[in-house]
């Protein structure tokens, strides 16, 4: 698979929707995590990320303008003892609950499917970063917009390459209805020196009209340190 740069992917796509990137820093010392949300409707754009005790959550920027919290208010990132879970919906909690019981993330996601938002049937994308820096990505999506068929795709990366990662997002193109992501997670460059630099690069190349919030974390593989950045369009 071709190695791509995130700025090229994002600059050429005005609405990838929500995106997850997991990878390894160029110095091979840190795991790289990025998650962003975008929006075309007022309800979707009316959000910010904020830190919680075990990760981040979305919340309404202006509570008076929130019309429907379902599917847009959730915990995108939750940390557990030896892993970090990153998703685009409340399946974050499903994965956490299954792992807490000693079950696997695949079992957790077999209990879920794409989002109930016709006609888009937005994919559920999920990632699990383990303490050793290995990671897993998945996507649950409809068959070309047909809700009668749910596709569950799982990808595992045991020994990440320094300076590289994998990126998955929800929408293939900015159309109506929105078509689901196609193919395997994109193989991408992760050569920014720290979370701030990588966040600035991603934020710069996300479409200015549609970007809403971004989270980036560089997690130390030896010491467990967390270098975290949150950027919100509604500062």
């Amino acid at each position: 698979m071709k190695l791509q740069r995130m700025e090229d992917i994002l600059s050429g796509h005005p609405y990838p929707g929500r995106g997850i990137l997991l990878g390894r820093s160029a110095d091979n010392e840190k795991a790289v995590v990025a998650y962003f949300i975008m929006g075309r409707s007022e309800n979707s754009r009316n959000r910010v990320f904020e830190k919680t005790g075990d990760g981040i959550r979305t919340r309404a920027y202006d509570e008076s303008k929130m019309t429907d919290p379902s599917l847009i208010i959730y915990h995108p990132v939750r940390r557990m003892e030896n892993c970090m879970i990153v998703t685009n919906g409340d399946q974050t909690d499903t994965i956490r609950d299954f792992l807490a019981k000693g079950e696997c993330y695949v079992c957790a996601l077999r209990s879920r499917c794409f989002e109930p938002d016709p006609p888009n049937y937005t994919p559920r994308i999920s990632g699990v970063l383990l303490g050793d820096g290995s990671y897993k990505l998945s996507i649950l999506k409809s068959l070309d917009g047909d809700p009668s068929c749910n596709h569950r795709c799982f990808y595992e990366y045991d020994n990440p390459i320094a300076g590289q990662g994998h990126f998955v997002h929800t929408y293939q193109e900015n159309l109506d209805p929105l078509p689901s992501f196609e193919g395997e997670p994109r193989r991408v460059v992760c050569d920014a020196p720290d979370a701030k630099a990588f966040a600035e690069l991603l934020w710069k190349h996300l479409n200015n009209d549609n970007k809403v919030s971004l989270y980036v974390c560089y997690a130390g593989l030896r010491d467990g340190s967390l270098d975290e950045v949150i950027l919100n369009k509604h500062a």
Side-chain angles (χ1 to χ4, degrees):
M1 180 180 291
K2 179 183 177 182
L3 182 64
Q4 299 176 267
R5 298 198 67 88
M6 285 298 295
E7 53 264 44
D8 294 334
I9 295 174
L10 297 178
S11 295
H13 198 331
Y15 195 61
R18 287 165 275 174
I20 296 173
L21 182 152
L22 298 179
R24 183 71 60 86
S25 63
D27 62 9
N28 212 28
E29 296 290 328
K30 304 173 189 68
V32 176
V33 178
Y35 177 68
F36 64 77
I37 59 174
M38 306 182 80
R40 297 193 301 183
S41 69
E42 182 181 22
N43 199 44
S44 292
R45 291 176 175 180
N46 181 33
R47 290 183 289 172
V48 294
F49 285 167
E50 66 178 14
K51 285 189 177 182
T52 64
D54 66 347
I56 64 170
R57 70 173 183 176
T58 62
R59 69 168 177 82
Y61 173 69
D62 184 342
E63 294 285 354
S64 69
K65 295 181 178 180
M66 177 60 66
T67 58
D68 182 5
S70 65
L71 301 179
I72 65 171
I73 300 299
Y74 56 93
H75 289 79
V77 176
R78 286 196 184 274
R79 293 187 296 273
M80 299 180 68
E81 182 177 355
N82 195 41
C83 73
M84 183 184 298
I85 305 162
V86 188
T87 90
N88 72 327
D90 63 8
Q91 72 269 25
T92 308
D93 295 343
T94 304
I95 296 171
R96 178 199 58 179
D97 294 345
F98 270 67
L99 294 180
K101 295 185 294 184
E103 300 184 57
C104 68
Y105 92 106
V106 172
C107 296
L109 291 172
R110 283 179 178 155
S111 72
R112 304 301 301 269
C113 67
F114 46 82
E115 294 183 354
D117 62 337
N120 298 316
Y121 300 107
T122 298
R124 291 189 186 272
I125 54 174
S126 307
V128 177
L129 172 68
L130 301 180
D132 63 1
S134 62
Y135 55 86
K136 312 169 190 296
L137 288 168
S138 70
I139 182 168
L140 313 180
K141 61 181 182 177
S142 66
L143 175 62
D144 296 328
D146 180 354
S148 69
C149 184
N150 181 42
H151 282 190
R152 295 187 176 93
C153 306
F154 301 96
Y155 307 90
E156 302 191 0
Y157 305 92
D158 294 338
N159 189 25
I161 297 173
Q164 296 187 22
H166 291 85
F167 171 57
V168 63
H169 53 89
T170 51
Y171 305 128
Q172 186 70 15
E173 297 180 76
N174 186 26
L175 302 173
D176 287 304
L178 288 157
S180 297
F181 178 90
E182 296 177 0
E184 295 184 20
R186 314 299 186 225
R187 183 169 161 240
V188 295
V189 175
C190 298
D191 58 358
D194 54 33
K196 181 176 184 292
F198 199 35
E200 289 176 347
L201 181 145
L202 297 177
W203 193 249
K204 177 181 178 181
H205 290 92
L206 284 165
N207 180 271
N208 191 58
D209 291 332
N210 296 324
K211 66 185 178 184
V212 175
S213 297
L214 168 68
Y215 169 82
V216 174
C217 176
Y218 274 41
L221 296 173
R222 296 184 182 182
D223 59 8
S225 60
L226 297 176
D227 175 16
E228 297 177 296
V229 174
I230 289 176
L231 296 175
N232 290 308
K233 190 166 187 180
H234 296 296

